[in-house]
Amino acid sequence: MGTNSPIIPAETAAHVLFHYGHDGGYQAGTFTTNLITAIDSADPSNKARLELGFPDYVAAVNAMQYSHNGVEYLQSIVRGGVAA
């Protein structure tokens, strides 16, 4: 969401939207579903470790957790309306 934020692909945005029960998303496979759950429940130090391997998923989960317009932002990515 900032200039140094990782790119969030539409598929990643859709998986995270689904995890949080919002329109525009669809379910990921088992590994990715478990990854999103791990990121969602991780404390800051473990989230930082997960970010090393999965920066796009951590950025998408952070958008949902910490941005007042996170849902709209990810839905816009899914629709192709945001250069994430």
Side-chain angles (χ1 to χ4, degrees):
M1 296 182 7
T3 57
N4 293 327
S5 296
I7 293 171
I8 301 173
E11 181 176 51
T12 299
H15 292 160
V16 173
L17 284 166
F18 182 89
H19 174 79
Y20 287 97
H22 293 285
D23 291 338
Y26 56 86
Q27 188 164 11
T30 302
F31 174 83
T32 303
T33 297
N34 289 333
L35 172 65
I36 295 167
T37 299
I39 295 167
D40 183 31
S41 63
D43 59 61
S45 63
N46 282 311
K47 189 181 279 189
R49 293 172 67 193
L50 288 165
E51 186 174 24
L52 295 174
F54 306 98
D56 54 334
Y57 279 97
V58 172
V61 169
N62 282 342
M64 292 298 292
Q65 291 179 335
Y66 304 116
S67 176
H68 71 279
N69 67 338
V71 173
E72 295 84 7
Y73 175 67
L74 294 182
Q75 287 172 334
S76 181
I77 292 170
V78 170
R79 289 190 308 270
V82 170

